[in-house]
Amino acid sequence: IDLVCMLVRFLSRRRRRPLFLVLDRFLEQSVAHPDKKFLVFGEESYTYSYTDLQSNKIANALRAQSGYKAGDTVAMFMGNEPSFIFTWLALTKLGSPAALLNHNIRSKSLLHCFNCCKASVLIAASDLKDAVKDVLPSLLEQNVTVLLMAKDSDTTGIQSFSEQVEEATDAPLPRSLRSHVTFKSPAVYIYTSGTTGLPKAAVVNQNRLLTALVILSSNGVKQTDIIYVNLPLYHTAGFLVGLIGSIETGTTIILKRKFSTSQFWDDCRKYNVTVIQYIGEVMRYLCSAPKRDNDKDHKVKLAIGNGIRAEIWREFLNRFGNIQIREFYASTEGNVGFVNYTGKIGAIGRVNFFHKVSVESGKCYDTELDEPVRDANGLCIETRKGEPGLLVSKITDIAPFAGYAQNEEQTERKRLRNVLKKGDLYFNSGDLMSIDEENFIYFQDRVGDTFRWKGENVATTEVSDILTICDCIKEANAYGVQVPGHEGRIGMAAVTLTDGVQFDGSKIYNHVVKCLPSYARPRFIRIQDAVEVTGTFKQIKMKLVEQGFDPGRIHEPLYIIDDRVKSYIPLTAEIYSNIQSGNIQL
Ligand SMILES: *[C@@H]1O[C@H](CO)[C@@H](O)[C@H](O)[C@H]1NC(C)=O
Ligand SMILES: *[C@@H]1O[C@H](CO)[C@@H](O)[C@H](O)[C@H]1NC(C)=O
Ligand SMILES: *[C@@H]1O[C@H](CO)[C@@H](O)[C@H](O)[C@H]1NC(C)=O
């Protein structure tokens, strides 16, 4: 019944003129309860009304910039902090799409991500100044306006923006500035590592943002709830679920710069948190932390997220008490999402009449070719109940696929044609799922050239490309390997050396640290005489993945990254057994 009410509300909002956007919901909330706390960040707290006025100031200061006009795309390069939210709201008031850059990326990847959304302005947090300086010449060459959220800047080409914001008026922004915005307009760009190459900017349009409003409310979250947001705001979970979801419910957000196992429950107690967000890794870290007497002493009643394994789920409930877990699935760019409203352990949701979903070709998914196997008629083969298969979802007017910014080739790769009938069109999620007899859906694995580590997707081709820039490496094949006691897979690379050149561990280390965020760095390197390829010259990964990093099994030279000596050092049997036993943390 709740679902029907939500659908009715969604449809009636869609009919409103002028258009009712997520911003309008925020403005309603700030009129309804101006003095209610919207954001708490450490010892600071900000009301709805303060947030509204502060975002007006940012918007007015931005309008005064000569290199910017309302509607231009602006890239935000910031961590989880109140300014992130104020700035994003300012941009929506100006009708400007916001590109949410991952603040861990640097140099080549940073420039690539910036360029793929055609932004004319970059707004960066003060602590990211060095990363901005690194790419500044290229930005200035393109006449990009570079603004730093700091009182002063000692670098030519980087303007200090905080002073301008403080001096700007907090007058509301005229609606006419955003009159060009439609439901199909890009609202934000969220970066995802797809199957190949550098990250891609998934277009989240205004319509999808509007649908994200219901994620928390449909799970029973109310205005009196307090939500703990510790996942990055530049990703779907933090941004669409935590932030956008809270705007609908009028909930107070406890914003955390990053997830911390040791502070998690203390924060929940201190702020009377009632709703938490998680990814599988978070749940595992919480469960593996030392037990405390007050583990059940908190007010958390709902956990919403994805990627929890059934055994961790049970352990979590035993240890931390009666918390409802709502596992959901939504790919950033995709047109499909599920929520487990019923609480079946392990399941991420249930196929219902809202979703026209089929899970294709489990045993018939070719992991080497990275595509579904087809039958004699060229169509995909549907998996049977219980078998893993590729999740695909029909692209329709109600479930459209907005694609990637400036990247038709990658957009096309996510479209799958001739699935069940000649001429049909589906979105390829890149995730392997299975469906049981009762239509509950379970996440199995990712397919394609990506792996997940510490909640981030890593594109193996990006890692390979970065490695081959090193003089001593001729070819590189990156992949993820499993480590006991960890979710996801840790980065590893099989490389061949340039003829007559020695392996230079410290040079590779410096290069990797400069170019890749820590979660994407290959922790292990395996030296091979030749990189194996398939008949179509695709690199063979599955065999390497299965072989892992055991020096007892692999007779080729193996190295492990060592941050203390800033180099790759030989991976000995002793190091290996310490990793297996958990004495060495990765
Ligand atoms: C940058 O601005 C200068 C001066 O206005 C102009 O000559 C140049 O073409 C611009 N460059 C780009 C890449 O737009
Ligand atoms: C949390 O709740 C308790 C009891 O209701 C209350 O005394 C306390 O002030 C609350 N703390 C915060 C930070 O709101
Ligand atoms: C899914 O629903 C079932 C039925 O309520 C419930 O027992 C289980 O706890 C739920 N799991 C989730 C994920 O809510």
Side-chain angles (χ1 to χ4, degrees):
I1 296 157
D2 270 0
L3 275 176
V4 174
C5 294
M6 277 178 330
L7 191 63
V8 169
R9 182 192 282 177
F10 174 73
L11 292 175
S12 83
R13 275 180 179 167
R14 288 252 351 205
R15 281 196 299 271
R16 279 169 66 169
R17 297 293 179 271
L19 297 186
F20 184 89
L21 304 174
V22 165
L23 172 62
D24 298 293
R25 182 61 184 153
F26 174 81
L27 295 173
E28 280 183 358
Q29 297 285 19
S30 88
V31 168
H33 39 77
D35 299 326
K36 180 173 175 169
K37 280 182 195 168
F38 176 48
L39 272 181
V40 177
F41 185 65
E43 298 308 313
E44 307 161 24
S45 65
Y46 303 96
T47 61
Y48 273 84
S49 145
Y50 179 92
T51 303
D52 185 30
L53 296 178
Q54 186 63 18
S55 63
N56 287 351
K57 277 169 161 278
I58 296 174
N60 283 311
L62 188 57
R63 275 180 85 190
Q65 287 286 334
S66 59
Y68 169 85
K69 62 179 190 318
D72 285 355
T73 301
V74 174
M76 290 172 48
F77 189 44
M78 294 180 178
N80 277 17
E81 54 181 296
S83 284
F84 183 108
I85 294 172
F86 303 153
T87 304
W88 168 70
L89 274 168
L91 296 176
T92 68
K93 290 175 175 183
L94 293 162
S96 278
L100 310 180
L101 297 174
N102 175 334
H103 60 80
N104 295 298
I105 59 170
R106 296 291 180 268
S107 61
K108 186 178 152 211
S109 305
L110 175 56
L111 265 184
H112 164 83
C113 289
F114 179 84
N115 288 334
C116 60
C117 60
K118 296 236 166 10
S120 59
V121 179
L122 175 70
I123 304 182
S126 58
D127 56 323
L128 294 168
K129 186 164 113 189
D130 289 341
V132 175
K133 265 168 126 170
D134 228 21
V135 296
L136 190 62
S138 306
L139 294 177
L140 295 181
E141 213 169 273
Q142 301 169 59
N143 296 335
V144 173
T145 303
V146 182
L147 305 174
L148 192 72
M149 280 291 185
K151 285 266 182 269
D152 40 35
S153 159
D154 51 10
T155 309
T156 324
I158 301 183
Q159 295 184 47
S160 61
F161 193 45
S162 302
E163 205 82 17
Q164 299 175 36
V165 170
E166 279 325 301
E167 283 163 15
T169 159
D170 62 11
L173 284 294
R175 205 175 236 289
S176 60
L177 291 174
R178 48 184 189 272
S179 58
H180 61 280
V181 173
T182 68
F183 288 130
K184 289 202 166 142
S185 306
V188 292
Y189 296 99
I190 292 182
Y191 291 83
T192 67
S193 288
T195 47
T196 57
L198 292 159
K200 296 181 295 295
V203 182
V204 177
N205 63 25
Q206 292 285 350
N207 185 54
R208 190 157 152 77
L209 214 57
L210 209 55
T211 54
L213 279 178
V214 304
I215 299 176
L216 292 180
S217 63
S218 66
N219 282 288
V221 176
K222 302 266 184 306
Q223 201 190 313
T224 47
D225 278 309
I226 295 174
I227 186 169
Y228 189 55
V229 174
N230 58 73
L231 301 176
L233 287 170
Y234 59 77
H235 271 340
T236 305
F239 189 83
L240 291 184
V241 181
L243 174 60
I244 302 298
S246 298
I247 287 175
E248 170 71 7
T249 52
T251 302
T252 298
I253 295 173
I254 310 299
L255 184 66
K256 190 78 181 162
R257 198 168 271 284
K258 60 187 227 204
F259 168 76
S260 154
T261 311
S262 60
Q263 292 164 22
F264 193 95
W265 293 108
D266 288 339
D267 280 346
C268 289
R269 282 184 278 270
K270 177 172 171 193
Y271 299 110
N272 293 332
V273 167
T274 57
V275 180
I276 58 175
Q277 277 193 284
Y278 68 86
I279 50 176
E281 290 82 347
V282 163
M283 296 306 232
R284 192 181 276 271
Y285 295 145
L286 292 176
C287 287
S288 54
K291 286 205 166 64
R292 291 201 248 167
D293 294 341
N294 59 355
D295 275 344
K296 289 196 169 92
D297 170 21
H298 57 75
K299 299 196 167 107
V300 176
K301 52 181 204 229
L302 176 69
I304 179 161
N306 56 46
I308 188 173
R309 313 256 157 204
E311 75 272 11
I312 301 270
W313 189 321
R314 288 189 197 97
E315 196 178 332
F316 183 84
L317 294 181
N318 277 338
R319 175 152 170 200
F320 300 107
N322 187 20
I323 299 172
Q324 260 194 70
I325 297 182
R326 290 290 170 88
E327 177 82 3
F328 79 99
Y329 168 83
S331 73
T332 304
E333 66 274 56
N335 58 346
V336 56
F338 319 100
V339 180
N340 173 20
Y341 290 104
T342 55
K344 173 136 176 157
I345 288 193
I348 56 171
R350 201 166 184 176
V351 182
N352 61 30
F353 66 94
F354 284 123
H355 308 112
K356 185 124 176 48
V357 172
S358 44
V359 178
E360 311 295 326
S361 59
K363 59 179 182 283
C364 302
Y365 189 87
D366 188 326
T367 45
E368 289 297 351
L369 289 177
D370 186 17
E371 55 191 41
V373 171
R374 294 182 179 262
D375 65 14
N377 299 317
L379 301 175
C380 297
I381 302 155
E382 258 184 294
T383 26
R384 286 197 297 264
K385 291 277 163 81
E387 281 179 358
L390 178 71
L391 176 75
V392 300
S393 161
K394 194 159 190 169
I395 298 176
T396 63
D397 283 347
I398 305 173
F401 167 49
Y404 303 110
Q406 317 293 332
N407 202 333
E408 183 49 36
E409 187 197 328
Q410 289 298 334
T411 301
E412 187 54 37
R413 275 183 66 110
K414 294 297 271 185
R415 295 191 183 118
L416 203 58
R417 294 172 197 280
N418 306 323
V419 173
L420 296 181
K421 282 203 306 252
K422 279 268 180 285
D424 62 8
L425 180 62
Y426 281 72
F427 169 75
N428 177 351
S429 71
D431 290 323
L432 288 182
M433 304 274 178
S434 66
I435 297 185
D436 72 8
E437 296 296 336
E438 297 171 274
N439 284 335
F440 282 108
I441 304 177
Y442 302 82
F443 178 79
Q444 302 285 339
D445 204 355
R446 299 223 96 196
V447 299
D449 296 331
T450 56
F451 60 88
R452 264 170 79 86
W453 181 247
K454 307 236 156 153
E456 299 277 355
N457 287 331
V458 180
T460 57
T461 49
E462 179 181 0
V463 177
S464 304
D465 288 350
I466 297 264
L467 282 174
T468 46
I469 298 174
C470 293
D471 301 333
C472 62
I473 294 177
K474 186 159 117 200
E475 292 167 291
N477 183 0
Y479 49 94
V481 290
Q482 283 180 318
V483 190
H486 288 272
E487 295 296 316
R489 296 169 189 275
I490 197 166
M492 177 159 185
V495 305
T496 58
L497 298 179
T498 312
D499 298 336
V501 180
Q502 293 282 315
F503 180 82
D504 185 339
S506 86
K507 212 163 168 184
I508 299 174
Y509 177 89
N510 287 326
H511 177 68
V512 159
V513 167
K514 179 164 174 283
C515 296
L516 289 172
S518 65
Y519 56 78
R521 294 172 196 157
R523 227 50 67 100
F524 307 110
I525 292 183
R526 166 177 183 171
I527 316 271
Q528 294 192 294
D529 291 334
V531 166
E532 282 183 87
V533 292
T534 62
T536 50
F537 299 104
K538 284 195 147 193
Q539 293 174 338
I540 288 183
K541 289 191 200 289
M542 290 314 283
K543 212 163 84 194
L544 294 167
V545 168
E546 281 160 20
Q547 288 171 353
F549 57 98
D550 178 0
R553 278 180 72 195
I554 297 167
H555 302 295
E556 292 160 338
L558 282 173
Y559 292 86
I560 177 172
I561 204 164
D562 188 330
D563 289 312
R564 287 165 314 164
V565 301
K566 302 198 183 312
S567 184
Y568 280 89
I569 60 165
L571 174 58
T572 59
E574 189 190 345
I575 296 177
Y576 179 79
S577 70
N578 278 324
I579 294 170
Q580 294 296 315
S581 62
N583 287 340
I584 294 182
Q585 290 291 318
L586 296 172

